[in-house]
Amino acid sequence: MNASDFDVVVIGAGPSGSATALALAARGLRVGVAERSAFPRDKVCGCTLDPRAVAALERLGLASTLAALRPVALRHVRIAARSRGATLPLRGTLAVSRTAFDAALASAAASAGAHVATGHAVLGITREGGGFVVARAGAKAWTARAVVTAAGLADASLSQPSVVDAQARIGVAATLDANSAAFARDELRMWVGADGYLGVARLEDDRVRVAAALAPAAVRGDIGAALDRVLADAGSPWRLPRGVTFRATPPLTRTRGAVAEPGLFAVGDACGYVEPFSGEGIGWALLSAELVTPAVVAALAGDARAHRDYDANWRSRVGAHRRAAERLLAWSRHPRWFAAALTAIRIAPPLARVWMPT
Ligand SMILES: Cc1cc2nc3c(=O)[nH]c(=O)nc-3n(C[C@H](O)[C@H](O)[C@H](O)COP(=O)(O)OP(=O)(O)OC[C@H]3O[C@@H](n4cnc5c(N)ncnc54)[C@H](O)[C@@H]3O)c2cc1C
C-alpha cells in the first residue's frame, strides 16, 4: 500500500498522540494526526507534570517548549483526610494548563513534519489492502499503512473494548479565578473524602485549577456541592465559589486485554487508565509514545511481532507504574485508613515512599 496518504495516522492530539507523531515524523515517516477538537482546547486534568513526564519531554527534545510555557514549580503537596493532614515534598513537579501544553505539543509535532488536522473526529477505521482507511467527520478519509490510536478514554479503535472497573469514578475539572483561593503558588493541595478526592494547583497565569475524581452518584447532582462535601469530609474550611461550570469525563479506571494488534497500536489513556490520584497520566502517555515509536517503525518494516513486543513492553514498563498507582488509590478509597496513614507520615516522613510513587 505504497500509495497511502500517510505511513502512520495518529488519532488524537493529546500528549500521547502529539509525542508519538513528533517521534515518528522525526524518523522520516509520513505522519497524519486527526484530532476532533479545534485547538487550543481544555482537557479534564489536574494539569500537573510529574518528574517522569518532565524527563520524557526532555528526551523528546521538548525541554525548551515546556520552559516557554512558564510552568509553575510545585515544591510540596498538602494532603488532608478526616481533618488530619501531612505535607510531602515534591521535586521536579510542574503545573501548566492543558490548553497551552497540548497546543504546544501539537505544534511541535507539526514542526517535526507531521500533518496535524484539527476539528475533524475520526469516525472509524477499516482494514483495506494491507493498510487502513481512516474515516473522518466532514473531511476526506485518509489511508495509512499503520494507525496509532491516542484518542483517550473513549477510544473505540481496537477490536477488544476496554473494560471499565466496577468502582470507576468520574473525573471533573474547572479553572477558577486567581483570587478564588488563598493557596501558595508552589503548593499542590489535595483532600480525600468518602465520595472522592479533589486536587488544586495554580497554573502559569495564577488561575486555580481544580480537578477531582468523584463517585458516579455524586456527579449526578450539583458537582460543586459534591466537591464541597469532599472538602467538608476532609476538614477543609475552603469552599468552591458558586456557579462554576465543570467538565466531566467518562468512567476513569479501565483495562484493556491487548494494547496493540497487527498495524494498530494504542498509546496513553487509550491503553487503559487508573484514576489520577498520583497525577501520573501524562507521564504514562509520554512513556507509551516512546515505547510505540520503534514498534511502529518495525511493523512498517515488516516485523509481524512488533505489536506483540509493544504490548509486552507496555505491560512491563507502564504497567508497573499503574500497579503502584492502584495501591495508593486503594488507600484513598478508605478515608479512615488514609487519615491514619497521613498521621503516620507526619510522625515518620520516610513512610511516604510506601504510598507516594514519586
Ligand atoms: C480529573 C483528572 C485529573 C488528572 N490530573 C492529572 C495530572 O494532574 N497529571 C497527570 O499527569 N495526569 C492527570 N490526569 C490524566 C491525564 O489527563 C491523561 O492521562 C492524559 O491526558 C492522557 O493523554 P492522552 O494523550 O492519552 O489522552 P487525551 O489527553 O485524552 O487526548 C486524547 C485526544 O484525542 C482526541 N480524540 C478523542 N476521540 C477522537 C476521535 N474520535 N477522533 C479524533 N480525535 C479524538 C481528543 O479530543 C483529545 O485531544 C488526570 C485525569 C483526570 C480525569
Side-chain angles (χ1 to χ4, degrees):
M1 194 164 167
N2 290 330
S4 58
D5 296 317
F6 298 102
D7 294 316
V8 189
V9 163
V10 178
I11 307 172
S16 63
S18 290
T20 303
L22 183 153
L24 290 171
R27 293 199 179 203
L29 296 177
R30 297 171 302 134
V31 182
V33 180
E35 164 60 49
R36 70 177 171 198
S37 303
F39 268 39
R41 60 102 180 89
D42 193 14
K43 150 82 176 78
V44 175
C45 187
C47 299
T48 63
L49 297 174
D50 76 332
R52 288 194 197 97
V54 175
L57 290 167
E58 283 165 7
R59 290 194 295 275
L60 286 160
L62 293 171
S64 58
T65 303
L66 177 61
L69 301 175
R70 301 188 165 278
V72 177
L74 299 172
R75 308 278 179 216
H76 56 262
V77 51
R78 284 173 65 183
I79 313 181
R82 294 174 67 94
S83 301
R84 284 189 257 175
T87 301
L88 308 174
L90 293 171
R91 285 181 203 89
T93 298
L94 305 175
V96 63
S97 66
R98 289 292 299 269
T99 315
F101 180 70
D102 289 24
L105 257 56
S107 160
S111 300
H115 175 74
V116 182
T118 55
H120 301 287
V122 168
L123 301 174
I125 58 172
T126 44
R127 290 184 185 269
E128 215 173 281
F132 295 86
V133 177
V134 180
R136 295 185 303 147
K140 179 185 153 299
W142 281 346
T143 54
R145 297 169 61 208
V147 169
V148 175
T149 176
L153 293 174
D155 175 72
S157 309
L158 294 179
S159 42
Q160 284 181 36
S162 57
V163 178
V164 175
D165 187 276
Q167 294 203 320
R169 285 174 168 160
I170 307 291
V172 299
T175 303
L176 314 179
D177 292 342
N179 57 8
S180 320
F183 312 127
R185 191 168 161 81
D186 64 353
E187 71 181 6
L188 172 63
R189 300 285 295 263
M190 289 184 75
W191 297 271
V192 180
D195 278 347
Y197 50 88
L198 154 72
V200 167
R202 286 196 186 272
L203 299 175
E204 64 277 16
D205 58 5
D206 229 30
R207 285 182 304 155
V208 176
R209 182 66 169 185
V210 179
L214 291 171
V219 180
R220 274 182 221 121
D222 176 343
I223 293 178
L227 294 177
D228 277 353
R229 280 198 300 279
V230 173
L231 289 165
D233 259 13
S236 166
W238 182 62
R239 295 289 180 272
L240 287 152
R242 293 294 93 209
V244 176
T245 303
F246 287 90
R247 295 180 66 234
T249 65
L252 294 168
T253 300
R254 53 184 69 215
T255 48
R256 273 216 192 267
V259 299
E261 300 167 8
L264 173 58
F265 301 81
V267 286
D269 285 6
C271 296
Y273 186 60
V274 176
E275 267 175 45
F277 194 84
S278 48
E280 296 170 276
I282 297 170
W284 298 337
L286 296 172
L287 178 56
S288 66
E290 288 183 285
L291 297 177
V292 88
T293 302
V296 172
V297 171
L300 291 174
D303 180 349
R305 285 196 51 84
H307 63 286
R308 288 208 190 93
D309 292 345
Y310 170 65
D311 186 73
N313 226 349
W314 182 88
R315 269 167 221 291
S316 76
R317 298 282 304 279
V318 184
H321 297 307
R322 283 171 47 114
R323 284 189 291 279
E326 273 164 351
R327 285 194 292 277
L328 183 62
L329 188 61
W331 276 91
S332 79
R333 286 278 197 266
H334 303 281
R336 188 185 293 270
W337 300 357
F338 195 79
L342 292 178
T343 303
I345 287 170
R346 276 178 70 158
I347 297 164
L351 277 176
R353 282 192 218 111
V354 177
W355 289 284
M356 302 298 284
T358 48

